[in-house]
Amino acid sequence: MTSNGDTSPMVSRCQTLQEVMQLMAARGLESVNVIDEHGRTVGRCTWRMMLRAAADGLDRSMPIGEVLTAFSDKWETKQEGVCVAMLMSESDSKATNELGRLRRELEEAHRLAETMKTVLDAAYEGVVVVDEDGVVREINRAYCQFLGIRREEAIGKHVTEVIENTRLHICAQSGIPERGYIQKIYGQPMVVHRIPIWRDGKVIGAIGMLIFQGVSEVYEIFRRLQELSREASRKEKKEAKPQETADSAPKGIERIIGRNPAIAAVKQMIRRAARVPSTVLITGESGTGKEVVARAIHEAGPHADGPFVSVNCAAIPESLLEAELFGYEDGAFTGAKKGGKPGKFQLAHGGTLFLDEIGDMPLAMQAKILRVLEEKKVEKVGGLYETKVDVRIIAATNKPLEEMVRNGTFREDLFYRLNIIRIHLPPLRERKTDIPALLAHHMERMCRQFGVALKSFTKEAMEVLVDYSWPGNIRELVNVVEWLISMVEGDVIEREHLPAYLSTVQPAVSALPDQGVRIADLWKEMVYQSERERIAAALVAAGGNKAEAARRLGIHRSTLYEKLKKYGL
């Protein structure tokens, strides 16, 4: 109620600029009266005022009463004792158009917010959203009902005060996703997802989801799947013919860790390449996982039941490469194995041959490889006849083949024969949001392999690891994880536990294709020496007692024995 009988909609002077803008957009209001704590009208806000406030960049959390004060010095008129803020002339068509645009944006934002809230509340499973500090910013009706609380009781509180045994605040700090984890709530085991929210390369929060109402429901679904499997088997035997099953997700793709858009595009290329037998060329810096991608293509394609044979063209001497690839007959050359030996092409018959580092293949061998690709036939060294082979070729290199073609160090015809499907793997420094997931994956894998307790990263340690340039890419990351497992005694990896070079600002990686390899090898040697020295020191401190030395190092005794053998101690 106003002092002058005005029946216009009213808002409190304590409400924020954002709230008033949303109210006017939602109800299509041209203006609203602003009242004080005693119900007296102190001013009027119009759409033009909202437009000017937005144009001047005012903080939308500012109380509307302060907005009125800010503008009253410039645009103030008196009407029956009421301060009316006038911002622009009615005839200003440009301002009118801008006003309409702003109104449409606010209306669209309001509709989107309402839609998202409806979807969130309609979800059968519980959903909670926290910010980077672990404070609850949103929680849906299903989660509130399960916890037995009201939404207002959760919003603004730390998630540990709302949900017991939660790790959502840890996920928001580390950026490591946790999918399918068991969490006890009110004594009931629940299956949960914890997914970090990234923006501009930083974690700004996390989403927690109850994907089942309890582990018992998982068992029930598993029981149903078993029944379906048994029914399918009975049907298959009854019809007496093989049943073809379509696997919706190729096996190999699950081993490619990452959700970055660049790596998501690579996964899509893998699915497409797997459907056809065309030759694939995989490019990327050393250590980016080219063989993992090659295996994923093989496992997802029609040759999945056949062998996967890998050849490193740079690791085999030029004089032996032909015999290694094509095989040789008995007595073909001095020292030849009695009875001869099949080549890699024959061993890969019916499957996939992966030619790694093909940029290092000699020119003479390139011509022979080209002939095999075109004719699908191989002839052993010292042989008299050709053998037909059914092999899919996947090649990989970290060298610029186009430049090598121009320089005459790589055959142009072979390049075009290989470059049918091209998949480029981005370096790790270009997909930093995947680093926490990669660290978590390899940490869990190696801890299980070495028989040690799982280790976690603090937020400060994770920030260093995410900011590091990783010139050795995933190969270097795996080496660092192995070093941390071996050297860190506790279950939590702090920033000071990390190798010193990780905190050093790294120069830009050179365009030379092998420089990243040299740097990675240098750091690997540093890690090697550091680990060897620490194990030797632990043995001295333990007086030669290996069990005591393993305890001091925080590793299993069998792991210590393996490392003693590795380092010759």
Side-chain angles (χ1 to χ4, degrees):
M1 184 173 185
T2 64
S3 59
N4 59 2
D6 192 350
T7 59
S8 299
M10 296 179 294
V11 296
S12 169
R13 67 185 301 169
C14 298
Q15 289 184 255
T16 65
L17 174 62
Q18 176 72 17
E19 291 172 340
V20 174
M21 295 173 81
Q22 289 180 341
L23 172 67
M24 296 178 72
R27 299 176 59 181
L29 302 175
E30 294 294 334
S31 64
V32 293
N33 284 340
V34 181
I35 61 174
D36 60 14
E37 58 273 14
H38 302 294
R40 294 174 299 196
T41 302
V42 296
R44 176 177 295 163
C45 286
T46 67
W47 264 112
R48 281 175 171 69
M49 185 175 181
M50 299 296 98
L51 175 62
R52 184 55 182 266
D56 287 355
L58 289 186
D59 184 356
R60 296 195 179 188
S61 63
M62 179 186 292
I64 196 65
E66 294 183 16
V67 176
L68 281 175
T69 303
F71 285 119
S72 62
D73 293 340
K74 295 183 180 179
W75 295 275
E76 182 179 273
T77 61
K78 296 291 183 178
Q79 182 179 358
E80 298 180 10
V82 178
C83 174
V84 182
M86 301 299 295
L87 300 179
M88 292 185 176
S89 170
E90 292 287 338
S91 61
D92 192 343
S93 59
K94 183 177 180 180
T96 302
N97 292 336
E98 187 66 16
L99 175 64
R101 184 192 65 79
L102 180 60
R103 174 181 290 182
R104 288 191 296 272
E105 286 184 4
L106 288 172
E107 289 175 348
E108 180 62 27
H110 179 75
R111 282 195 298 269
L112 180 60
E114 288 298 316
T115 300
M116 293 304 297
K117 188 176 185 303
T118 301
V119 171
L120 197 63
D121 280 340
Y124 176 71
E125 311 298 349
V127 180
V128 61
V129 181
V130 302
D131 61 18
E132 59 184 344
D133 297 319
V135 176
V136 177
R137 294 305 177 191
E138 190 55 77
I139 186 170
N140 72 340
R141 184 181 299 135
Y143 220 141
C144 288
Q145 289 175 346
F146 177 76
L147 297 173
I149 62 174
R150 291 183 294 112
R151 178 178 178 275
E152 294 75 18
E153 296 172 348
I155 300 298
K157 290 184 178 180
H158 197 271
V159 67
T160 55
E161 301 178 41
V162 180
I163 306 171
E164 64 176 327
N165 299 318
T166 183
R167 286 175 47 86
L168 198 57
H169 58 299
I170 298 175
C171 176
Q173 290 181 350
S174 67
I176 298 176
E178 299 178 358
R179 294 182 175 84
Y181 277 59
I182 303 298
Q183 176 181 332
K184 277 196 173 183
I185 305 177
Y186 296 151
Q188 181 178 355
M190 310 293 294
V191 183
V192 301
H193 281 338
R194 305 182 188 105
I195 304 171
I197 305 171
W198 291 83
R199 180 183 296 167
D200 299 329
K202 299 291 183 183
V203 180
I204 62 169
I207 300 174
M209 290 185 287
L210 295 173
I211 61 174
F212 292 103
Q213 286 297 314
V215 176
S216 58
E217 189 168 340
V218 181
Y219 294 150
E220 176 63 20
I221 292 175
F222 182 64
R223 184 187 64 78
R224 293 175 191 169
L225 288 173
Q226 286 183 316
E227 290 180 357
L228 289 173
S229 179
R230 286 193 291 267
E231 184 179 347
S233 298
R234 288 194 298 269
K235 186 177 180 182
E236 180 178 346
K237 291 178 181 178
K238 184 177 179 181
E239 295 178 356
K241 49 179 163 179
Q243 289 283 76
E244 295 183 359
T245 58
D247 191 355
S248 58
K251 292 182 296 182
I253 291 182
E254 279 75 9
R255 294 190 288 112
I256 301 175
I257 309 300
R259 300 172 65 86
N260 182 274
I263 212 67
V266 168
K267 292 181 181 181
Q268 185 64 25
M269 285 291 292
I270 290 172
R271 294 187 180 94
R272 293 174 180 173
R275 295 198 295 258
V276 294
S278 303
T279 302
V280 178
L281 177 62
I282 306 172
T283 60
E285 295 179 8
S286 180
T288 50
K290 294 185 284 293
E291 184 165 350
V292 174
V293 171
R295 288 185 180 274
I297 296 171
H298 166 75
E299 293 169 358
H303 290 80
D305 294 332
F308 179 89
V309 179
S310 177
V311 180
N312 189 321
C313 300
I316 303 174
E318 182 177 349
S319 58
L320 299 178
L321 187 57
E322 181 177 2
E324 190 70 20
L325 289 173
F326 303 140
Y328 55 84
E329 296 289 0
D330 187 6
F333 51 85
T334 303
K337 182 180 177 182
K338 186 175 178 60
K341 179 184 175 182
K344 299 298 185 183
F345 275 92
Q346 289 176 297
L347 293 175
H349 180 72
T352 300
L353 179 62
F354 176 54
L355 299 175
D356 197 9
E357 307 295 353
I358 198 166
D360 294 291
M361 181 176 285
L363 279 169
M365 185 56 61
Q366 293 177 25
K368 296 180 180 181
I369 290 290
L370 176 64
R371 185 169 178 271
V372 174
L373 291 177
E374 292 177 344
E375 299 183 6
K376 302 293 183 182
K377 294 179 182 179
V378 297
E379 182 179 332
K380 290 183 177 182
V381 176
L384 301 175
Y385 59 90
E386 295 180 326
T387 304
K388 191 172 183 62
V389 291
D390 176 21
V391 176
R392 177 176 193 167
I393 301 296
I394 300 178
T397 183
N398 64 347
K399 294 191 173 181
L401 292 187
E402 290 91 344
E403 184 177 336
M404 294 177 67
V405 168
R406 289 192 296 270
N407 296 337
T409 55
F410 198 87
R411 290 181 63 100
E412 183 177 18
D413 46 6
L414 177 59
F415 170 73
Y416 289 121
R417 188 65 182 79
L418 294 173
N419 194 36
I420 297 175
I421 298 177
R422 180 79 163 264
I423 299 178
H424 179 73
L425 298 185
L428 198 52
R429 63 182 174 276
E430 293 181 6
R431 53 185 189 107
K432 288 183 176 291
T433 55
D434 288 338
I435 290 175
L438 285 164
L439 288 166
H441 169 77
H442 291 292
M443 176 64 73
E444 182 179 357
R445 177 180 63 81
M446 288 194 204
C447 286
R448 188 168 56 248
Q449 177 184 338
F450 296 160
V452 300
L454 184 64
K455 300 179 188 295
S456 60
F457 298 88
T458 64
K459 182 178 181 180
E460 293 74 18
M462 185 60 70
E463 287 175 350
V464 172
L465 292 166
V466 170
D467 290 339
Y468 179 58
S469 61
W470 298 106
N473 294 295
I474 298 174
R475 183 181 293 118
E476 183 186 2
L477 182 143
V478 172
N479 290 340
V480 169
V481 170
E482 183 175 356
W483 186 88
L484 291 170
I485 291 173
S486 303
M487 296 295 102
V488 178
E489 296 185 12
D491 295 337
V492 178
I493 297 173
E494 305 281 353
R495 178 171 184 162
E496 54 267 25
H497 292 147
L498 301 177
Y501 69 83
L502 294 178
S503 301
T504 305
V505 177
Q506 301 299 321
V509 176
S510 169
L512 293 176
D514 58 344
Q515 179 161 343
V517 183
R518 292 199 301 269
I519 295 173
D521 289 342
L522 176 61
W523 285 336
K524 186 175 180 180
E525 179 64 22
M526 292 169 59
V527 171
Y528 179 97
Q529 291 297 336
S530 177
E531 183 176 28
R532 189 180 190 280
E533 291 171 4
R534 184 162 183 178
I535 291 174
L539 282 170
V540 172
N545 187 319
K546 295 183 175 60
E548 174 64 17
R551 188 190 66 78
R552 287 172 176 268
L553 292 168
I555 61 178
H556 196 273
R557 189 166 56 183
S558 61
T559 303
L560 176 61
Y561 287 141
E562 292 177 5
K563 293 187 176 296
L564 291 175
K565 183 179 179 181
K566 175 181 177 182
Y567 296 123
L569 294 173

